Amino acid sequence: MLGNFIFYNPTKLYFGDKAQENLAEAVKPFGNKVLVTYGNGSIKRNGIYDDVMKALKEAGKEVVELPDVMPNPTYFKVDEGIKCIKVNEIDFILAVGGGSTIDYAKAISVAAGYDGDPWQHFWVEQNDPAPDAKIVPVGAVLTMVGTGSEMNGGSVITNHKQKLKIGKVFDSRVFPKFAILNPKYTYSVPKHHMVAGIFDIMSHIMEQYFSGDDDNTSDYIAEGLMRSLIESSRVAVKDPHNYEARSNIMWTATWALNRLIGMGKSQDWNVHMIGQAIGAHTDATHGMTLSGVSLAYYRYIMEGGLHRFARFAKVVWGINPEGKTEVELADAGLIALEEWMKEIGVATEVSSLGVNEGNIEGIADATFGMRGGYKQIKRDDVVKILKSSL
C-alpha cells in the first residue's frame, strides 16, 4: 500500500436476527424527542414499525413521525424535514428503511442547523458542517441493503428543479451513531429492489477496486467481498428467505462502503456520477442506473487498467488465463460480469431506464466527472458511454 490515510468509523453495529432487541438501549442516550422517518409505510405492513415503536416506548422517548421518504429523496423533502426538526425541537433522528431513508436522515440532520442555503452549501459546494455546527444525531434500522449508508457519511439528494442528483460524503460527525442490521428485515423487499441493491453493492466495490496499480491489501479484501456477493446473490435470487445468503449480502454491503476497502486508493466513482445523472433525469432505481451503464463504462476504460481487469477475471470469476492474452482475459472478466448481471436480473442497458437520444446531452451536462480511475472522463466521453449503453 502506497497511500497515507486515517481510518475511523464511529458507527456501532448490532447484527443478527435479534439485533432489534438492542434498539431501546441504543437510543437511550440521545435525548427525549425522536423523529422516526421512513418510506411509504411498508414497515407498518411487515411488523418492523411495531418493533421500533415498542423499543422507543421502552426507552421512554417522545416520537414524531415523518413518513413518505421517496426512493430518490428530493431537496423538497429535505426542506420538509428541516421544518419538522425545528418546529418539534427534535433531539435524535431514527431512519427506518434503506439507503434513501438513511441518506435523507443525514441530510436533514446537518441542514436543520445551517442558516443559509443547504443545497448550495453542502451538496453543490461540497462543504462539511462548521466545527461548532449543531448536527442532530442519527441512528438507523436497516430494511434494505445496498448503499452502505448505515455506516458512512454519504447522503445523495435529488434536486428536480435543477435536474441534479448529488452525493455528499459528510465527515464522521454525521455517521449514524448506531445501526440495527437484522437480515430478516430485508425479506419483504421486492425482487426488483433486492437485485438493484445487490448491484449497488457490487458497484461500490468495483468503483474502489478499479483504480491504482500498487499491491494494495484493500484490493484483496475487495475481491473476497465480490466473490461472497456473487455466491450469495445467486442463492438469494432463487430463495429470498435464505437467511445465510441475505445475512452475507447485508454484511458485504456494509463493508463495501464504510471506507475500509478504499483506504490507500485513489478510487474511480464515474459509474456513480453517470448513474446519478441518469437518476436525476429519469428517477430510475439507483442500482439499475449503475448496472445500466457499467458494462459500457468498464469496456471504455479497460485499456487504461488492463492488468487490474485481467486480475478481476482470474481472481473474482475464476477464469483460466491459459492461452489468453491479457486483453482477452480482461474481456472475459467483463463477459462474466455481464452474464451474472443477466442471471440476477439487473439492467444491462440504459434505454430500459428512460434514457434515449433526446436526453443524453442533458445527462452528460449533469455528470460530474471524477479523476481517480484509469481514464479521466470528460463530457464527450460520457456521451459516448451513454450511446454505447443504449
Side-chain angles (χ1 to χ4, degrees), residues 239-290:
D239 180 10
H241 286 197
N242 185 295
Y243 180 83
E244 187 173 63
R246 298 303 288 268
S247 65
N248 284 339
I249 293 168
M250 177 176 265
W251 195 230
T252 300
T254 300
W255 287 97
L257 204 58
N258 67 0
R259 298 178 63 242
L260 176 70
I261 64 168
M263 293 296 96
K265 294 186 62 65
S266 54
Q267 306 184 32
D268 189 335
W269 296 108
N270 278 310
V271 168
H272 270 69
M273 295 303 100
I274 300 171
Q276 286 174 187
I278 292 171
H281 280 73
T282 68
D283 255 346
T285 302
H286 174 63
M288 295 297 183
T289 67
L290 304 179

Side-chain angles (χ1 to χ4, degrees), residues 202-216:
M202 188 69 167
S203 184
H204 290 158
I205 302 171
M206 292 191 296
E207 295 274 34
Q208 296 165 89
Y209 181 73
F210 287 121
S211 66
D213 296 308
D214 60 324
D215 184 28
N216 192 310

Side-chain angles (χ1 to χ4, degrees), residues 188-199:
S188 61
V189 173
K191 181 181 178 181
H192 174 83
H193 293 293
M194 179 186 76
V195 297
I198 287 169
F199 193 84

Side-chain angles (χ1 to χ4, degrees), residues 351-369:
S351 55
S352 64
L353 307 174
V355 179
N356 53 55
E357 292 284 353
N359 58 19
I360 281 179
E361 299 289 336
I363 292 169
D365 289 337
T367 299
F368 299 87

Side-chain angles (χ1 to χ4, degrees), residues 15 41 64 163 189 205-206 223 284 318 344 381:
F15 190 97
V64 177
K163 289 190 179 298
V189 173
I205 302 171
M206 292 191 296
E223 287 164 349
I344 66 171
D381 297 305

Side-chain angles (χ1 to χ4, degrees), residues 162-384:
Q162 297 183 14
K163 289 190 179 298
L164 292 174
K165 183 177 181 181
I166 303 177
K168 164 61 183 168
V169 181
F170 291 103
D171 63 43
S172 60
R173 291 173 294 164
V174 186
F175 284 43
K177 303 303 179 185
F178 64 82
I180 306 294
L181 277 62
N182 183 340
K184 290 184 176 179
Y185 278 8
T186 68
Y187 284 0
S188 61
V189 173
K191 181 181 178 181
H192 174 83
H193 293 293
M194 179 186 76
V195 297
I198 287 169
F199 193 84
D200 194 12
I201 302 165
M202 188 69 167
S203 184
H204 290 158
I205 302 171
M206 292 191 296
E207 295 274 34
Q208 296 165 89
Y209 181 73
F210 287 121
S211 66
D213 296 308
D214 60 324
D215 184 28
N216 192 310
T217 298
S218 298
D219 291 325
Y220 292 87
I221 300 171
E223 287 164 349
L225 291 173
M226 286 189 280
R227 290 169 64 185
S228 174
L229 181 66
I230 293 162
E231 179 66 24
S232 294
S233 69
R234 287 171 166 154
V235 175
V237 166
K238 294 176 182 176
D239 180 10
H241 286 197
N242 185 295
Y243 180 83
E244 187 173 63
R246 298 303 288 268
S247 65
N248 284 339
I249 293 168
M250 177 176 265
W251 195 230
T252 300
T254 300
W255 287 97
L257 204 58
N258 67 0
R259 298 178 63 242
L260 176 70
I261 64 168
M263 293 296 96
K265 294 186 62 65
S266 54
Q267 306 184 32
D268 189 335
W269 296 108
N270 278 310
V271 168
H272 270 69
M273 295 303 100
I274 300 171
Q276 286 174 187
I278 292 171
H281 280 73
T282 68
D283 255 346
T285 302
H286 174 63
M288 295 297 183
T289 67
L290 304 179
S291 66
V293 77
S294 283
L295 294 168
Y297 176 76
Y298 287 124
R299 285 178 173 131
Y300 194 76
I301 70 161
M302 187 180 76
E303 184 179 357
L306 196 57
H307 182 69
R308 180 58 51 83
F309 281 94
R311 174 174 164 175
F312 176 68
K314 287 187 294 183
V315 179
V316 176
W317 298 104
I319 296 171
N320 186 350
E322 187 175 347
K324 295 181 178 66
T325 65
E326 195 168 44
V327 172
E328 289 171 339
L329 183 58
D331 190 56
L334 293 182
I335 291 171
L337 173 64
E338 182 174 11
E339 289 173 349
W340 171 71
M341 291 167 65
K342 290 177 178 177
E343 180 183 348
I344 66 171
V346 295
T348 55
E349 71 292 312
V350 295
S351 55
S352 64
L353 307 174
V355 179
N356 53 55
E357 292 284 353
N359 58 19
I360 281 179
E361 299 289 336
I363 292 169
D365 289 337
T367 299
F368 299 87
M370 306 294 279
R371 298 183 177 183
Y374 292 123
K375 183 178 178 65
Q376 290 192 17
I377 300 297
K378 299 179 180 179
R379 185 187 180 281
D380 289 347
D381 297 305
V382 174
V383 171
K384 291 176 184 176

